[in-house]
Amino acid sequence: MDKGAHFYKCDFQVHTPRDLRWNGTEAVTDDERKKYAQALISACREKKLDAIAITDHHDMLFAKYVRQAALEEVNQDGAPVQEKNRIVVFPGMELTLSVPCQALILFDADFPDDMFSLAITALAINQSDDSQSRTAQVERLNIRTITALKESLDKHEYLRGKYIILPNVSEGGSSTLLRSGFASEYKSMPCVGGYVDGSIAKFGNGNRGIVSGKNKEYGYKKIALFQTSDNRRENHADLGVHTTWVKWAKPTAEALRQACLADDSRLSQDTPQLPQLYITKISISNSKFLGPLNLDFNHQFNAIIGGRGTGKSSILEYLRWALCDEPALGDDDEGIDFQAKRRKLIEKTLLSLSSNIQVEFIKNDVKHTLRRSASEKSILLKIGEGEFEQTTEEQIRSILPIQAYSQKQLSSVGIRIDQLRRFVEAQIQEKLDTIIRKKNHLKQEIRQSHTQREKLNLLNKNKDNLIKEIASLSGQSKNLR
């Protein structure tokens, strides 16, 4: 799997049996706590959650149990769940501040268990006895600003950069920062995101304008929003009801901060719409220039970065050749030059080694594997779990139409109408094809409707004639009688 960023479905406010308002059985012994943690991870899997945060009030006891349960989870076959598919567990706390408001503090997903007590001590929280089923009564912390909260944490090197603060910015209530008289606190807080109890759909126009950075009194300060479910029920009925999709490469507090700073592309309250057709991998058996090469690609965006002469363009040309890409330009001098350069690259770096290039891609959740040989000039395609079968360039271009340009070709796009049209339409070709199919279908329906209308007109005309004829015959019959 590539090591790039991916979207994860998250619920960042989950409480445990330690919560004073917990609705369920107690969990006091190690076995009871392990059993609850396993049930929680199972519920996350059932509700298709990728990540949660354990955020009991002023307490972090259960985070280690839930993380261990995620680590030990097994699949339906009894095998351990692969690391890339494990439920991510962020340790954290819900804080009641003297601001007064509440805030979530989330730590890196790999924040060590033995550091939990140090984090609690850094905030001058009276730790609850681990042997008790519930925490002690929550007392408001003597922290009067969110800036002071950050300063208290940053005094300790082992905490600095390993946490993110998310103030409560719900619509209404006594725990939210979005209340009358708190504009200056909101404006000065060192936060780039906040959390909401429930859905952001509850937001009124006023608060929506504040968090969107459109309110002068609040410093035109924009923050990202995390929907949370605030689950504290043993049957997990509320778990995952209100979630936020977050994009990260590694589950850290800094990754969450970066997602807040780029929330248009890295945060979503709705399921992200990802491409249904994408390349996942390229494998080059051998190359005189690059040697054997295996590259995994991200579902959404990839960038190949390197110095001059390191092989960036070669990798892209290998990919274009394997996918049977047609030259972007016509049969002019530039197009001929492009084809000659590609042929020369294949002959010089692959042909003498009898190398082949294999490209894997997904189309509508079906895996396709394409293998092209430099020496045998064969193109093989495997669809799903089937066998490799001989195919043609036209068939490959039909299944996976790619749009690729060299730097020289790209410079011509803006000055050539045919290339500009190709550049624009290639991105939406499937939609255009669908529109064309609908158009042709409508044409057929219109023709059928017109034919039926003509038949109806003819029948109505005949009907009028028959009515007149019947009237005439009726009159004649009456006279004869």
Side-chain angles (χ1 to χ4, degrees), residues 468-481:
K468 291 177 181 177
E469 187 175 348
I470 290 171
S472 174
L473 291 173
S474 296
Q476 294 175 48
S477 174
K478 184 178 180 179
N479 289 333
L480 286 171
R481 283 198 294 270

Side-chain angles (χ1 to χ4, degrees), residues 227-250:
Q227 293 184 149
T228 67
S229 296
D230 197 18
N231 180 74
R232 43 173 52 90
R233 300 168 68 178
E234 185 178 15
N235 63 3
H236 311 293
D238 298 326
L239 180 69
V241 174
H242 302 290
T243 58
T244 299
W245 290 82
V246 189
K247 188 177 184 182
W248 67 64
K250 291 183 65 177

Side-chain angles (χ1 to χ4, degrees), residues 125-185:
I125 296 173
N126 293 323
Q127 295 192 42
S128 301
D129 192 331
D130 288 357
S131 64
Q132 299 299 311
S133 64
R134 306 287 172 94
T135 63
Q137 192 65 37
V138 174
E139 296 181 3
R140 195 174 293 276
L141 300 179
N142 188 27
I143 298 175
R144 300 189 177 280
T145 66
I146 296 176
T147 301
L149 172 61
K150 185 176 187 301
E151 290 172 350
S152 298
L153 295 166
D154 285 348
K155 288 177 183 177
H156 307 279
E157 186 177 350
Y158 55 83
L159 295 177
R160 200 177 306 132
K162 300 182 185 302
Y163 69 89
I164 184 172
I165 299 169
L166 302 173
N168 187 320
V169 288
S170 300
E171 178 79 14
S174 59
S175 300
T176 179
L177 190 63
L178 298 185
R179 309 204 310 272
S180 176
F182 287 87
S184 60
E185 174 62 26

Side-chain angles (χ1 to χ4, degrees), residues 254-445:
E254 177 59 23
L256 299 182
R257 192 179 77 86
Q258 293 297 329
C260 291
L261 293 171
D263 60 327
D264 286 342
S265 60
R266 288 179 174 264
L267 281 183
S268 177
Q269 273 71 48
D270 301 315
T271 304
Q273 298 301 309
L274 300 179
Q276 292 300 304
L277 174 59
Y278 55 98
I279 298 169
T280 59
K281 187 174 185 178
I282 181 173
S283 300
I284 303 168
S285 61
N286 205 356
S287 166
K288 281 189 175 181
F289 178 39
L290 295 170
L293 180 70
N294 292 285
L295 281 180
D296 291 317
F297 292 109
N298 189 275
H299 193 162
Q300 298 169 69
F301 179 81
N302 300 274
I304 300 175
I305 302 171
R308 189 179 183 87
T310 55
K312 305 184 299 296
S313 297
S314 296
I315 292 172
L316 294 177
E317 288 306 321
Y318 285 149
L319 187 61
R320 295 179 68 177
W321 176 76
L323 294 173
C324 310
D325 176 41
E326 289 184 313
L329 302 177
D331 295 329
D332 53 19
D333 291 340
E334 288 183 295
I336 295 171
D337 180 60
F338 163 76
Q339 290 286 57
K341 282 184 177 180
R342 176 187 285 179
R343 186 164 52 250
K344 187 176 180 181
L345 174 68
I346 300 302
E347 290 174 352
K348 281 195 169 186
T349 63
L350 300 181
L351 185 59
S352 62
L353 298 174
S354 298
S355 301
N356 64 67
I357 298 178
Q358 183 165 298
V359 177
E360 297 176 10
F361 62 94
I362 303 291
K363 184 169 186 178
N364 295 324
D365 296 326
V366 177
K367 181 179 177 181
H368 295 64
T369 305
L370 171 66
R371 186 180 296 163
R372 189 169 188 182
S373 171
S375 57
E376 299 176 7
K377 297 183 179 179
S378 63
I379 307 173
L380 301 175
L381 178 64
K382 177 182 176 182
I383 301 176
E385 299 300 323
E387 301 294 329
F388 279 102
E389 296 182 2
Q390 193 76 29
T391 188
T392 65
E393 292 188 15
E394 290 75 15
Q395 288 171 335
I396 295 301
R397 285 194 287 267
S398 174
I399 296 173
L400 179 57
I402 68 170
Q403 186 178 13
Y405 297 87
S406 67
Q407 185 174 354
K408 187 176 181 181
Q409 290 172 323
L410 193 59
S411 64
S412 71
V413 169
I415 59 175
R416 293 185 51 165
I417 298 300
D418 59 332
Q419 293 309 310
L420 185 60
R421 183 171 181 173
R422 177 181 188 264
F423 184 82
V424 173
E425 290 186 353
Q427 305 294 329
I428 55 172
Q429 192 57 55
E430 286 193 16
K431 291 183 179 179
L432 292 175
D433 291 342
T434 301
I435 291 172
I436 291 171
R437 285 195 296 271
K438 287 182 177 178
K439 179 182 175 183
N440 291 335
H441 181 67
L442 285 172
K443 278 184 179 179
Q444 187 176 358
E445 286 187 342

